[in-house]
Amino acid sequence: MTDRETRVLTPTIIEPRPSALLPAIREDLAPFIPALRSAAGLIAAAAVAEFTARYAAPALADKARQIISPAPQHTQTILVEEHTTVRRRVTIAS
């Protein structure tokens, strides 16, 4: 039997490197930023409109119908018992 060495994880400190690529990309895309912002705004508005058309509009329509039409009256069932008594006088000749 051989003794195996126990493996130990040693912490390594990684220093962040300054990214020289990001400022270059920003400079290259600077002329397109107004167009990108307006496109993002348009996409956001379309998403809100789609949500409204799909979910909010039917719910609002149902609420409007409930407000416009009168609420249905609650019906009550009343049980009326009727007893009819028939009395006849029978005379027997004797």
Side-chain angles (χ1 to χ4, degrees), residues 1-78:
M1 280 192 354
T2 61
D3 290 331
R4 293 185 183 175
E5 292 183 16
T6 306
R7 294 183 182 181
V8 178
L9 294 176
T10 57
T12 305
I13 298 173
I14 299 173
E15 301 270 335
R17 255 190 294 176
S19 176
L21 184 62
L22 190 58
I25 292 174
R26 279 191 194 147
E27 289 175 13
D28 289 343
L29 293 179
F32 303 108
I33 290 202
L36 291 173
R37 283 188 182 149
S38 65
L42 185 65
I43 291 171
V48 169
E50 193 264 340
F51 172 79
T52 302
R54 182 171 294 186
Y55 299 107
L60 288 174
D62 289 342
K63 288 290 184 186
R65 283 190 201 107
Q66 289 176 359
I67 291 171
I68 292 172
S69 66
Q73 300 296 324
H74 295 292
T75 58
Q76 285 184 331
T77 303
I78 300 173

